[in-house]
Amino acid sequence: MTTNTAAPAAHTLLTPQEVADMLRIPVRSLYVQRSTGRPTPPGAIVGRHLRYRLTDVEAWIAEQFARSAA
């Protein structure tokens, strides 16, 4: 019996490094922007680790482009 262990995109959690790679910025910049209240994708602390939902990051990126086009 095979089991599908792939998580659906809605449940895919990303590390700060993965989000920084998507945004093509240093991970340090992501942390600094988050800690100073500048716009960043919504994230949550899971245990002791910061994680981002893939769908939230993608929606946040689309929102940034929509704002700059307006």
Side-chain angles (χ1 to χ4, degrees):
M1 177 191 313
T2 59
T3 322
N4 184 3
T5 58
H11 300 289
T12 300
L13 296 178
L14 303 174
T15 65
Q17 183 63 59
E18 292 169 324
V19 173
D21 290 346
M22 284 179 71
L23 298 173
R24 296 183 175 249
I25 63 172
V27 70
R28 178 87 177 125
S29 295
L30 183 62
Y31 279 117
V32 168
Q33 289 174 357
R34 181 177 165 87
S35 68
T36 58
R38 293 176 58 204
T40 60
I45 302 298
V46 179
R48 294 184 301 174
H49 305 281
L50 177 59
R51 294 293 180 257
Y52 298 88
R53 286 189 294 209
L54 176 59
T55 53
D56 289 345
V57 174
E58 291 172 335
W60 183 84
I61 291 170
E63 181 182 311
Q64 300 311 299
F65 278 95
R67 282 186 186 173
S68 67

